[in-house]
Amino acid sequence: MFIDDKSRFNAVCLALFGMEGDSNDNNRNHDPFLTLGQFLKEAGLIDSGGAAKWYLGENSVTVNGAAEERRGRKLYPDDQVSVAGQTYVIVSA
């Protein structure tokens, strides 16, 4: 699993997925997602979001079996990310 502690995952979802937005904003897309760069930071593979571009250029990362180098790649619940010999499954809040 990406994050084992469900309460911590819920906090990450609220912070990163923007699920506490203005309820009057009818045009806002509320589909929860996490970018690949945010995932790498939360997984402890990089120290800052700025390191994502370098990390993806130097390491093999796959999302749902396809090679990925875009730090802005959106990850949704049930996506599988393979990196550093581990496979992670993104879970929903």
Side-chain angles (χ1 to χ4, degrees):
M1 298 303 267
F2 168 39
I3 298 176
D4 293 327
D5 180 358
K6 288 200 180 250
S7 63
R8 182 166 184 265
F9 181 77
N10 288 338
V12 169
C13 286
L14 291 174
L16 297 177
F17 297 158
M19 296 177 74
E20 290 186 324
D22 182 359
S23 61
N24 294 326
D25 185 1
N26 294 328
N27 294 325
R28 186 172 177 180
N29 184 354
H30 291 287
D31 289 338
F33 71 88
L34 182 71
T35 67
L36 185 54
Q38 291 168 326
F39 166 82
L40 293 172
K41 185 175 177 188
E42 289 297 319
L45 297 169
I46 59 175
D47 292 328
S48 69
K53 186 174 183 179
W54 169 85
Y55 187 90
L56 291 168
E58 297 293 321
N59 297 279
S60 174
V61 177
T62 63
V63 176
N64 299 327
E68 188 60 68
E69 293 183 357
R70 297 173 295 160
R71 64 183 175 169
R73 166 64 151 88
K74 292 179 181 178
L75 303 174
Y76 295 96
D78 298 323
D79 280 348
Q80 294 184 9
V81 180
S82 296
V83 60
Q86 296 283 334
T87 298
Y88 301 86
V89 177
I90 306 300
V91 296
S92 62

